[in-house]
């Protein structure tokens, strides 16, 4: 039963969006005995600014999960944002501080880094390559930089996107070596595919897999199919890898911490989730 004291997390997206988060968070809250609930809320783009303000007038709101197409708009509606938000130009988590200020952060990249570390990948001092510098790629690049990577190579079909992301990264991490326009995976410790390339058998691959060393840790962001053609190819090379859904489950503990709830593990979340893919 939802009461006036129940902590609410609003998941705000476009009206036609399929909201998966309640199927992960709510079973966890129930199992852990936490009086909280994630509520999906569809909102048209033109109504979104006023709607976000109204949501945070609720007395029992703990935070909001923001889904496309509102991630970019959100940045300009907040009082304070993290470095990840400033680098990526998007925000997917909003909370209200004790003094009433709206704060925002971005956890897509944090989910990737947490998953990589739990699988044994060393991010600190690593040489990393991110292919695809859109929203997800930018978020992952920001988190890899924050985790202490030594070098970050960026590639995007639109060269200006990689160049712009590189410039924003160096503003916040001046000691980080950034190389824009590089897509050769040879010599990199971490390779991330943040594009739709290599999803299906026969598709063009994002990089030359034959140039990836077996010791490289490889990440994928596609969630429609866990074992994409790209991941099958790097698996055949002997690489350790991370599927796209791992990034989803790994970022949820970070959200919980951000909103002030008891945290958990990706394994526990997977065990209780009521998702169907």
């Amino acid at each position: 039963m939802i009461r006036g004291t129940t902590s609410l997390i609003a998941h705000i997206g476009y009206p036609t969006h399929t909201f998966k988060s309640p199927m992960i968070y709510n079973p966890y809250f129930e199992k852990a005995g936490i009086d909280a609930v994630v509520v999906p809320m569809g909102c048209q783009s033109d109504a979104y600014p006023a709607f976000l303000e109204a949501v945070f007038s609720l007395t029992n709101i703990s935070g909001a999960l923001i889904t496309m197409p509102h991630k970019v708009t959100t940045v300009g509606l907040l009082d304070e944002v993290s470095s990840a938000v400033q680098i990526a130009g998007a925000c997917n988590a909003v909370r209200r501080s004790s003094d009433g200020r709206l704060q925002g952060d971005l956890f897509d990249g944090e989910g990737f880094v947490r998953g990589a570390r739990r699988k044994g990948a060393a991010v600190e001092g690593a040489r990393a390559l991110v292919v695809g510098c859109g929203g997800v790629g930018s978020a992952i690049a920001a988190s890899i930089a924050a985790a202490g990577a030594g070098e970050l190579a960026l590639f995007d079909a639109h060269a200006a996107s990689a160049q712009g992301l590189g410039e924003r990264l160096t503003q916040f991490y001046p000691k980080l070596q950034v190389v824009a326009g590089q897509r050769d995976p040879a010599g990199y410790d971490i390779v991330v595919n943040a594009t739709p390339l290599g999803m299906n058998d026969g598709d063009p691959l994002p990089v030359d897999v034959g140039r990836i060393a077996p010791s490289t840790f490889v990440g994928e962001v596609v969630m429609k199919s866990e074992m994409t053609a790209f991941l099958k190819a790097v698996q055949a090379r002997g690489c350790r890898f991370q599927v796209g859904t791992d990034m989803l489950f790994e970022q949820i503990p970070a959200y919980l911490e951000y909103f002030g709830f008891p945290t958990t593990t990706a394994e526990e979340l997977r065990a209780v989730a009521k998702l169907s893919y």
Side-chain angles (χ1 to χ4, degrees), residues 193 197-203 205-206 209-210 212 218-220 222 224-244:
N193 177 32
L197 294 175
M199 185 186 308
N200 303 308
D201 292 338
D203 286 353
L205 299 181
V209 172
I212 300 178
V218 180
E220 173 70 275
V222 171
K224 291 183 180 179
S225 173
E226 285 212 338
M227 284 305 295
T228 62
F230 175 60
L231 287 184
K232 292 175 184 176
V234 300
Q235 183 182 44
R237 292 282 296 167
C239 298
R240 292 170 298 158
F241 60 88
Q242 178 165 269
V243 301

Side-chain angles (χ1 to χ4, degrees), residues 37-183:
V37 63
V38 171
V39 181
M41 300 179 179
C43 182
Q44 297 284 356
S45 296
D46 57 354
Y48 175 68
F51 182 72
L52 183 67
E53 182 179 0
V55 164
F56 277 93
S57 70
L58 298 173
T59 58
N60 59 335
I61 190 74
S62 292
L65 308 169
I66 311 298
T67 306
M68 291 299 289
H70 306 312
K71 290 183 179 182
V72 174
T73 304
T74 301
V75 179
L77 303 176
L78 305 179
D79 301 305
E80 180 183 335
V81 297
S82 68
S83 58
V85 170
Q86 294 177 68
I87 291 168
C91 173
N92 64 3
V94 179
R95 68 183 181 187
R96 184 175 53 202
S97 67
S98 58
D99 62 1
R101 293 167 58 82
L102 289 186
Q103 302 171 318
D105 210 333
L106 183 65
F107 290 113
D108 291 331
E110 177 67 13
F112 177 86
V113 168
R114 287 190 181 206
R117 281 173 165 162
R118 279 165 34 82
K119 294 176 178 65
V123 184
E124 295 80 1
R127 301 181 70 227
L129 167 64
V130 176
V131 180
C133 298
V136 176
S138 294
I140 292 173
S143 291
I144 289 175
E151 179 183 333
L152 190 50
L154 308 168
F155 181 84
D156 194 273
H158 301 284
S161 296
Q163 187 65 40
L165 174 58
E167 291 170 357
R168 295 191 298 275
L169 284 165
T170 54
Q171 288 177 12
F172 288 89
Y173 305 100
K175 294 183 180 180
L176 176 68
Q177 182 179 351
V178 178
V179 181
Q182 163 68 282
R183 73 181 302 179

Side-chain angles (χ1 to χ4, degrees), residues 92 107-108 110-111 246-256:
N92 64 3
F107 290 113
D108 291 331
E110 177 67 13
D246 282 352
M247 188 173 69
L248 170 65
F249 282 95
E250 291 285 357
Q251 68 184 278
I252 291 176
Y255 278 115
L256 292 171

